[in-house]
Amino acid sequence: MSRVHKVIVLNKPFKLWDFTIRQLLLLVVAVAISVTLLSRVPQGWKIGNLPANILLAILFFCFCLPLVKFTDLKPMGWWKNIILYKCKLAPTEFIPRPEEAAIYPDPTIVEPKKRSEEYFIGSGS
């Protein structure tokens, strides 16, 4: 009779509520910034009939939520490079500089002279 073993996949990250630990930390930072926005914007400001501080905090968090989830699609380094190149903050052209190269073949190497006649079958010595 065969036994059934549970397979543990080791190359998948640990997820809690469909978020990795790094994503959860980013969401905590987004919530902290939202609460800071909530307390910094004056309560007298209104957009329509809604308080501006509540609306701004909700909009900021709703903007951050898909950005955090996008890190599942591509790694953070990829997103950083895309943003830097699109905003033209990173160079897109690399101009090579001339560098001193080693002389080849090296003139300090002296090979001993071999007599080529010694290696022929018909040579008579």
Side-chain angles (χ1 to χ4, degrees):
M1 197 167 184
S2 64
R3 296 182 69 190
V4 177
H5 294 282
K6 183 179 177 184
V7 176
I8 300 172
V9 181
L10 296 177
N11 63 350
K12 288 194 177 183
F14 174 72
K15 290 196 171 192
L16 186 64
W17 299 304
D18 201 34
F19 292 105
T20 62
I21 302 296
R22 178 181 286 166
Q23 289 173 334
L24 285 174
L25 291 176
L26 287 173
L27 285 176
V28 167
V29 169
V31 167
I33 293 172
S34 294
V35 169
T36 304
L37 285 174
L38 195 62
S39 64
R40 298 288 173 133
V41 175
Q43 291 183 359
W45 290 6
K46 301 266 185 195
I47 299 175
N49 287 333
L50 298 172
N53 58 353
I54 294 174
L55 190 61
L56 188 62
I58 291 172
L59 284 177
F60 178 78
F61 184 75
C62 289
F63 179 74
C64 288
L65 190 60
L67 292 180
V68 168
K69 198 62 180 163
F70 281 160
T71 59
D72 273 347
L73 301 175
K74 300 281 185 179
M76 290 290 272
W78 187 89
W79 290 107
K80 180 191 73 150
N81 286 337
I82 282 293
I83 291 169
L84 288 177
Y85 288 129
K86 295 287 183 183
C87 294
K88 301 203 187 300
L89 297 174
T92 56
E93 292 181 5
F94 293 97
I95 301 171
R97 295 186 202 137
E99 296 179 0
E100 289 288 326
I103 300 171
Y104 185 80
D106 192 4
T108 59
I109 299 174
V110 179
E111 293 185 15
K113 295 195 176 210
K114 299 177 183 173
R115 292 182 19 205
S116 61
E117 304 95 40
E118 295 177 5
Y119 299 108
F120 289 115
I121 297 174
S123 63
S125 4

